[in-house]
Amino acid sequence: MGNTDSKLHFRKAVIQLTTKTQPVEATDDAFWDQFWADTTTSVQDVFALVPAAEIRAVREESPSNLATLCYKAVEKLVQGAESGCHSEKEKQIILNCTRLLTRILPYIFEDPDWRGFFWSTVPGAGRSGAEDADDDGARPLAESLLLAIADLLFCPGFTVQSHKKGAADTPEDIHSIDSCEYIWEAGVGFAHSPPLNYIHDLNRTELLKLLLTCFSEAMYLPPSSESNILNPWVQFFCSTENRHALPLFTSLLNVVCAYDPVGYGIPYNHLLFSDTREQLVEHAVQVLIVTLEHDGSTGAPDGSTPATVVDDQDPAGPDNLFVNYLSRIHREEDFQFILKGVARLLTNPLVQTYLPNSTKKIQFHQELLILFWKLCDFNKKFLFFVLKSSDVLDVLVPILYYLNDARADQSRVGLMHIGVFILLLLSGERNFGVRLNKPYSVRVPMDIPVFTGTHADLLIVVFHKIITSGHQRLQPLFDCLLTIVVNVSPYLKSLSMVAANKLLHLLEAFSTTWFLFSASQNHHLVFFLLEVFNNIIQYQFDGNCNLVYAIIRKRHVFHQLANLPTDPSSIQKALQRKKRSSEPISRTNSQEAVSMEGSRPAAPAEPGTLKASLFATPGIDKLTEKSQVSEDGTMVSVQKTDSPQSPVDGAVAAGISDTESNSEDVFEEKPERRRMSSASSVGQWAATPDWVLSWKSKLPLQTIMRLLQVLVPQVEKICIDKGLTDESEILKFLQHGTLVGLLPVPHPILIRKYQANSGTAMWFRTYMWGVIYLRNVDPPIWYDTDVKLFEIQRV
C-alpha cells in the first residue's frame, strides 16, 4: 500500500510543479523534497508519472521552476557524493534524483535555448562544501553533475564493496579512498574480482543510464561533415578533472569483457534468475563507445598519421583520457582477455544447443562491434595481436553470421556497414589473408550452401549471398565487399569449388553488357573481380585447381569482355535488351541448395520496426588508401597522382544512391535499380563509345587469356584422348599442371587499406547514437523527443 501512496504523492508533486505559474523558491525544501525524499519510485514509474507534455509545459511556461528542479536534483547528487550516502534514505534520494534527471535531460537538450543551461553557473549556487571549485565558488551545473556521478560510481556500500571490516559506524571517507582499489571486475590492470552484488549492479546501471543521457546532447545536433564537433559532456568527463577516469574506464572495459551470459551452464538458468549483470554490461558498453569518440582523420590517438604508424614510444596522446588509456594498453594477457571476451559475446547468439532457448541470447552485438572497431582503430598493437593467431577467426565467423542474417532486413543496414568496415580494416593486413586458409569446421547455422573448405570459402560464399539476395540499400557496399576479397586474394591457397563458382557467377552477372552500360560505376566491379583472379593465378596457382577449372568452364565470359562492343548501336541495343531467358544472377548448381543445419533464411524487417537513418558513407576511393606490398613483405603506400587513374581506382561516387537488388533479379534493367553515379545526379549520364573504350582498354585480361590459351587445348586433348566426362580427372590434371614461365611477369600486390576521414567519423557517430536510441526502450529515454542527428522511420 505504501508504494501506491508514494506514487500518488510523487504524481501530486509533478502536477503542482506544472500548474504553479509563480516560481517556487529554491529554499522551499518541503516542496522539492516531495520529488525524491518521501518516495520510492522505480525508473519506469518516473517515466510513467512525468509525461513528456508536462515537462515541455514547465519548460515553456515556468522555466525557473524547471531550472530549480534540475539544480536541486544535482545538488542532492553532489551532497550524496560528498557524504558517501551511508543511510538507506540517502541512497533512495540519490536513486530518485538520478531517475528524475534521466527523464528530464532529453527535453532540456531538444530546446536550443535550454542547451546551454547546464553549462552556465547558477548564481549563488556554489557546490555545497566544495573547496576545489573555482574562485567564485561556482562550477557549471554539468561539471558538478558529472563529477558527482563519477564519485557515486565508486561509493563504498552503494556501488562498490566496502573494504572496512564490520565497522559500519565508521564509514570510509569517499575523498580519501583510492578508487583504483575498487575497480568493478578483474581483467585489464586489475587482478581482484569482487564478489557479485546485484544491488551494486543495479545502482551502477542507474547511474550509467544517467551518464549516457548526459552524453546524448549529441543526438540533438544535426549531422555535419565537420567531424571536430566535440561533445562537451564527454570532453569534461574524460578529462583530468575526473579523478576516477582510469578506474572507471578499466571497470567498464573489464565488466564487458569478463561477462559470460551462459552462466554456470545450467540450461534455462536465465529464466530462473534475473541477470542484473547483463543490464550493467549493456550500459557499460554503451557508455564506453560514446566516451571513445575520437576523430580519426586528424591523426591517430597515438599521435601518428592515421592507421599507419605503430606507437613504439609512449606519446602524449589525445586529451580524452579514455581514448588515451585504450590506445596505450600493451600487455599480451590484457589483449588476450579483451579478445576472448569480445569473441565470446559476439558468438553468444550463434550458440546452438539441443534445448531450444536454453541459453541466454545477448542483444548488444552492434555495440560490441563498434567497441571492437574502436579497439582495432585506436590501438594498432591490439590489431596486430588479433591477427597474430587464428583467434581472429572467432570474430570473423560471428561477423559473417550477422551479415548473412541481416542482409534482407532494411532496419539493419547499419549492422551490415559496421561488419563490412571491420572486415575492410582487417583485410588491409597480410596476416588476415593468411589466417583465412584455416579449414572451416565449426558449423554455424547459416542459410548458405554446404561446402568443405576454409574460412576464405565461407567469406566468399557469404559475400556472394549478400550481393545476390540482399535488399536494395546494400548496393553501395558492393565495392567494399569486393575490395576485401581483392585484399585477401594473393594469400588464398586453395578455394573450394563452391567458392570458385560463386566468384565466376558474380563476374558473369556484372559483365552483362546492359549492366556495364547502365551506370558509370558498374565496370569497377568487373575490375575488382579480374584483380582477384589475377592475384590467385599469379601468386597461388598451385593449390587453386578448382578456380582454374571454373575459369576454363566459363571462358566465354572472358572472351565476351575482351570483345565488348563499343559502337553506339550495340550500346543502345544492350541497354534496350530486356532480360528474357538469361538470369544475370540466379541460383547456381542445384546441388548447392542444401543449407547448413539449423539455419533459417534471412527475414525482412517486421512491419513497424523502427530504424534510424544513417549518414552517407564515402566511396571506396575515399575509404581506402593504396599500399603496395614490396618483396620483403612490407607495405609501401602508393602516392595518389593527378593523372587519370585506372577506372577501378577512379572516384567511385560518394553519394551512390539507395539502389535495389532483389533476390532473383539483382540487375534487372530498370532505371531506378542502378548504381547511380555522381554524374547521373548532375546531368543525364549516358554510356558513349569513348567512355566504354576508355576503360575497356585497361581491362586486366592478359594473364587470364594466356592461361586459357595454354590450358584449354590441353584439357580438351585429355578429354578426347581419354574419353573423360568426370571432372575429378580434369582437376587432377590441373593440380599437377604448371604455368611457370608462361604467364606475364607478376604484378605487385596492391592492398587498399581502410583510411579514416571526416565522412566515416560522422557515419560512426550517427550509427552509434541510432543504435543506442533504439536499444534503450525500457525506459524509453529518448523516445518522442525531437532528435536531429538522425531520423527515426518505420520500416
Side-chain angles (χ1 to χ4, degrees), residues 502-576:
K502 296 298 183 198
L503 287 175
L504 278 139
H505 180 227
L506 289 179
L507 181 72
E508 198 173 4
F510 290 146
S511 60
T512 55
T513 47
W514 73 258
F515 179 73
L516 282 173
F517 298 159
S518 63
S520 69
Q521 308 293 333
N522 288 358
H523 60 281
H524 291 183
L525 301 171
V526 170
F527 273 80
F528 282 133
L529 284 162
L530 291 176
E531 198 176 336
V532 170
F533 298 143
N534 286 338
N535 280 341
I536 294 177
I537 292 166
Q538 297 215 347
Y539 290 99
Q540 301 290 349
F541 178 80
D542 287 354
N544 273 295
C545 57
N546 288 325
L547 182 69
V548 173
Y549 179 59
I551 288 172
I552 292 172
R553 278 184 55 213
K554 293 283 185 185
R555 55 191 179 276
H556 65 276
V557 179
F558 300 97
H559 291 300
Q560 278 168 3
L561 271 173
N563 301 312
L564 198 67
T566 56
D567 57 289
S569 63
S570 298
I571 292 174
Q572 280 316 306
K573 212 176 287 176
L575 289 170
Q576 284 157 10

Side-chain angles (χ1 to χ4, degrees), residues 618-636:
I620 194 72
D621 61 317
K622 299 277 193 307
L623 264 180
T624 55
E625 64 177 7
K626 286 182 288 174
S627 297
Q628 210 163 292
V629 180
S630 54
E631 284 178 23
D632 60 356
T634 54
M635 298 258 188
V636 184

Side-chain angles (χ1 to χ4, degrees), residues 56 59 105-112 115 212-213 215-223 610-614 762 765-766 768-774 776 780-793:
R56 289 192 177 107
R59 188 182 72 194
L105 275 169
Y107 298 91
I108 301 266
F109 295 150
E110 74 174 1
D111 186 333
R115 220 168 281 145
L212 202 56
T213 310
F215 296 156
S216 70
E217 184 181 306
M219 282 194 208
Y220 298 90
L221 302 172
L610 295 179
K611 66 168 184 174
S613 63
L614 282 165
M762 195 62 227
R765 182 178 303 165
T766 54
M768 172 180 76
W769 279 112
V771 168
I772 290 171
Y773 178 104
L774 294 170
N776 281 275
I781 299 179
W782 300 282
Y783 185 71
D784 256 1
T785 61
D786 187 16
V787 293
K788 292 280 195 303
L789 185 62
F790 43 79
E791 286 172 35
I792 295 292
Q793 304 140 339

